[in-house]
Amino acid sequence: MTAPLAPPPAGPPRGRITTAERPTPLPAPPRSRGEVLRDAAEEGLFQLRRFAAESWQDFRRRDRFFRWKALIVAGWTVVSIASIRVAMAGPEDPAANGLGAYVAVNHTSMGWGLLVHNRSDEEWTAVRVELEGGWVHERPRIGPDEKVVLSPGQFRRGDLAATDALAIGSVEIDTDEGSATPPVVR
């Protein structure tokens, strides 16, 4: 039989090792809003790139008939979006000015008539309608949503009345509530 092994020689005394764990972890250090947004943007961009790369690889593995179908759907989408944009890109509202004034000229066999329409909810007082060349028509008021048709004879420059031959370029409307130079609708 063999003799029992002797215990190892005693060296210097060792300290006892203890670990300390917190019952709840420490909160993350505060970060600025800019850092949080930058990290979120970087993560979103990374995920978008990964998705695009995976989609491209998946698309390349498909057969040519699938690719043609995808091309047709993409073309239809582009044409639809372009059509909606063109349809919505109409002209600006002619009454989009400080007074809400709409001005249109109508030509008839008897001459022309100038329609002045107050599209605002407020009454205009001390109204002065001036045509190019200094031809002026004045009236005390034009009510809200009121339409006034002015003939050439109602415009004056000094003692002279305008004639049918007067060409209407621009129209300026001055009131106590403000002034505007709306586009003339023809």
Side-chain angles (χ1 to χ4, degrees):
M1 219 156 108
T2 61
L5 293 174
R14 290 189 186 180
R16 185 170 166 210
I17 298 175
T18 58
T19 61
E21 291 186 19
R22 297 183 181 275
T24 58
L26 286 174
R31 296 174 15 176
S32 70
R33 201 175 275 180
E35 290 174 338
V36 171
L37 287 174
R38 186 180 63 239
D39 289 347
E42 286 176 357
E43 177 65 21
L45 188 59
F46 171 76
Q47 293 295 337
L48 184 65
R49 283 184 192 154
R50 185 177 62 84
F51 175 75
E54 289 175 0
S55 297
W56 180 249
Q57 290 300 326
D58 184 45
F59 180 75
R60 292 192 65 187
R61 283 189 290 249
R62 299 289 183 135
D63 64 348
R64 71 179 178 153
F65 297 110
F66 176 82
R67 290 183 201 167
W68 277 105
K69 288 185 230 176
L71 180 65
I72 291 169
V73 169
W76 175 81
T77 303
V78 168
V79 168
S80 297
I81 291 171
S83 299
I84 291 170
R85 295 286 300 182
V86 166
M88 295 182 72
E92 182 180 322
D93 181 19
N97 52 59
L99 288 176
Y102 174 82
V103 176
V105 64
N106 295 318
H107 294 279
T108 66
S109 61
M110 298 175 61
W112 55 263
L114 186 71
L115 170 70
V116 178
H117 182 188
N118 177 359
R119 287 191 177 175
S120 71
D121 295 332
E122 298 178 12
E123 180 178 69
W124 298 341
T125 55
V127 180
R128 176 184 163 100
V129 180
E130 184 173 347
L131 302 178
E132 218 170 13
W135 297 95
V136 177
H137 171 78
E138 295 180 336
R139 62 181 32 229
R141 63 175 284 293
I142 296 179
D145 199 36
E146 184 177 347
K147 298 174 185 172
V148 176
V149 178
L150 304 171
S151 65
Q154 292 177 291
F155 287 92
R156 303 264 181 215
R157 184 169 62 189
D159 291 337
L160 297 173
T163 64
D164 292 344
L166 178 65
I168 297 177
S170 65
V171 176
E172 183 176 348
I173 301 174
D174 290 317
T175 68
D176 286 344
E177 291 72 33
S179 64
T181 306
V184 179
V185 177
R186 299 191 188 277

